[in-house]
Amino acid sequence: MMEVIESVKEMQRRAEALRLAGHTLSLVPTMGFLHEGHLELMRVAKKHSDILIISIFVNPTQFGPTEDFQQYPRDPEGDLKKAEEVGVDIVFMPTAGQMYPPGSQTKVRVEKVTQHLCGLSRPGHFEGVTTVVAKLFNITKPHIAVFGQKDYQQLTVISRMVMDLDMDIEIIGVPTVREPDGLAMSSRNSYLSPEQRRSALCLKESLELAEKMVMEGERNCAVVKQAIEALIRSRPFTRIDYVSLCHPVTLEEVDAFGEETLLALAVKVGETRLIDNTLIRRPGK
């Protein structure tokens, strides 16, 4: 039977007891409003462990002052039902007061890989992410943690933190799960009107356009970027945050396509900020 734990201390005690009993623990951190993308992360985590823990916590410290923290979609009852159906063992659902008690003053910051992509347009975002994920790791004590590749920079930042701080946790990335029409699954998709939803497909179409151009021999990143920006701007309701062609490890911009190049996009469709990405491989590589 699935357990729901709200207390930090109780979660730590439960996790420690399970580890001492010889269990392998996995963690899937979420902000709730679970969709098929989250459930796929949980299925992968179950394959690598015998105790699956998920966290549901809308983390206030990773939202900027003008972002959608208050409006972020929440459905705790629906989340628990979906978690139980997929076979979650423990749901950790703390309050903000549990996670950030009065007097809390410690933050975790990763330097270079946070200074690109979303780190430029969302100052302080990744410091909020790394701090809460470090806390979740200390609370749930997993052997394995699973994240989606849709948030490629987040996966990179957390992997860097785990490496740099010698955390004894295996990080697993799972390919992006998409809607039937190709839109990357996101809790924020619920904000889109039907007309905006059609325009949002320009993100996936941009990835496909870039892959086609490289397959046909284009090597100049500026040319591909210009074509993508023109495609996105041709659709109503869109406003480009960034189109980046960058090194898949450092996330630094590149001028020409290497063996592998990350194409990462952030586009506002109406007031909804969406992200997507793909790793582009040169033909023959």
Side-chain angles (χ1 to χ4, degrees):
M1 184 171 175
M2 186 175 77
E3 298 177 62
V4 179
I5 298 175
E6 297 178 358
S7 160
V8 167
K9 293 300 182 187
E10 184 184 347
M11 184 68 250
Q12 286 178 316
R13 284 194 292 269
R14 188 78 180 96
E16 185 64 17
L18 287 165
R19 288 180 70 109
L20 289 172
H23 294 286
T24 301
L25 279 56
S26 62
L27 172 68
V28 177
T30 84
M31 293 205 299
F33 207 69
L34 302 180
H35 52 65
E36 184 60 30
H38 295 115
L39 304 184
E40 180 60 19
L41 301 184
M42 296 172 202
R43 294 184 193 105
V44 170
K46 279 184 71 70
K47 291 176 183 175
H48 290 83
S49 64
D50 61 322
I51 298 291
L52 169 57
I53 304 167
I54 71 165
S55 61
I56 298 176
F57 178 61
V58 184
N59 175 37
T61 67
Q62 68 190 69
F63 289 80
T66 62
E67 293 183 339
D68 59 341
F69 173 67
Q70 296 298 339
Q71 293 77 35
Y72 194 84
R74 295 162 169 86
D75 180 20
E77 288 186 13
D79 289 344
L80 291 176
K81 186 171 184 295
K82 290 174 184 174
E84 190 158 29
E85 287 172 353
V86 88
V88 171
D89 297 291
I90 300 173
V91 180
F92 177 50
M93 294 182 70
T95 63
Q98 278 278 320
M99 293 299 286
Y100 302 108
S104 179
Q105 53 189 290
T106 301
K107 296 180 179 178
V108 178
R109 186 172 73 244
V110 176
E111 296 283 355
K112 292 182 180 178
V113 292
T114 61
Q115 294 171 10
H116 310 285
L117 308 179
C118 292
L120 290 174
S121 54
R122 303 183 71 189
H125 168 71
F126 283 112
E127 191 171 273
V129 170
T130 46
T131 299
V132 78
V133 170
K135 288 174 70 70
L136 289 169
F137 286 169
N138 285 332
I139 294 164
T140 63
K141 307 186 180 186
H143 299 88
I144 294 153
V146 180
F147 295 85
Q149 291 175 3
K150 190 204 79 166
D151 294 297
Y152 189 98
Q153 187 175 19
Q154 174 178 275
L155 176 60
T156 300
V157 169
I158 289 166
S159 298
R160 186 80 250 174
M161 175 185 76
V162 166
M163 187 185 309
D164 290 351
L165 297 183
D166 302 304
M167 295 178 172
D168 189 16
I169 300 169
E170 179 186 357
I171 302 297
I172 296 174
V174 176
T176 302
V177 178
R178 299 185 179 275
E179 304 281 2
D181 60 7
L183 185 65
M185 286 195 173
S186 168
S187 298
R188 289 187 169 98
N189 290 349
S190 62
Y191 296 157
L192 299 169
S193 70
E195 295 82 5
Q196 291 170 343
R197 172 63 182 258
R198 285 192 288 272
S199 285
L201 296 179
C202 69
L203 278 83
K204 181 63 165 63
E205 290 164 2
S206 295
L207 306 184
E208 292 168 347
L209 173 61
E211 289 172 335
K212 180 173 182 289
M213 291 177 73
V214 172
M215 188 64 64
E216 292 174 352
E218 184 59 64
R219 296 291 176 265
N220 188 321
C221 289
V223 172
V224 173
K225 187 182 293 190
Q226 188 175 28
I228 291 170
E229 290 174 348
L231 169 61
I232 294 169
R233 290 192 178 110
S234 73
R235 303 301 162 83
F237 313 111
T238 60
R239 189 164 75 255
I240 295 171
D241 182 346
Y242 63 76
V243 173
S244 179
L245 287 157
C246 58
H247 189 281
V249 176
T250 67
L251 306 185
E252 293 175 354
E253 291 274 331
V254 295
D255 296 324
F257 285 88
E259 291 188 16
E260 281 193 331
T261 303
L262 176 70
L263 168 57
L265 310 170
V267 178
K268 270 201 164 184
V269 182
E271 293 304 311
T272 305
R273 186 178 183 277
L274 302 175
I275 60 173
D276 209 338
N277 67 78
T278 190
L279 272 176
I280 298 176
R281 293 174 175 84
R282 279 201 324 237
K285 297 296 179 182

